[in-house]
Amino acid sequence: MKDQKQHKNNALFIDKHTYQFNGGLVLGILFLALVDFGLSYLIRRAGVPLYLDSIGIILAALLGGAFPGILTAVATNLLCCLYYPDSVY
């Protein structure tokens, strides 16, 4: 992969953007994944056909870019598999 290079200090270079994997980024991704998990659980328990489980993914993509958004989406799907196995898609 020509566009991806590993830099010093745990940085990942993707398409002219450098992402630092510091504690704030990791905690933000986990927090937003937990928000998505909570909203998904509440909506599924209420039986309302709303898709509020993507609010954290949208916030992660808006605040951090595409890569944190993708990581948040993967973490959300892995968490949702705990109570609803069909959520892996």
Side-chain angles (χ1 to χ4, degrees):
M1 299 204 187
K2 190 175 171 183
D3 293 336
Q4 295 182 358
K5 298 176 184 174
Q6 191 70 25
H7 285 280
K8 297 177 186 175
N9 302 330
N10 294 329
L12 182 64
F13 181 75
I14 301 174
D15 296 330
K16 301 178 186 174
H17 298 286
T18 302
Y19 294 101
Q20 291 286 346
F21 286 100
N22 56 15
L25 178 66
V26 173
L27 286 177
I29 288 171
L30 290 177
F31 174 74
L32 291 173
L34 286 174
V35 167
D36 283 346
F37 174 73
L39 288 173
S40 174
Y41 181 76
L42 290 175
I43 292 301
R44 199 166 300 275
R45 293 276 295 180
V48 181
L50 293 175
Y51 297 102
L52 295 178
D53 60 342
S54 61
I55 290 177
I57 298 168
I58 294 169
L59 283 174
L62 284 174
L63 297 174
F67 192 64
I70 291 169
L71 290 178
T72 305
V74 169
T76 299
N77 282 333
L78 290 175
L79 283 173
C80 287
C81 286
L82 297 175
Y83 76 95
Y84 187 64
D86 292 336
S87 69
V88 176
Y89 41 86

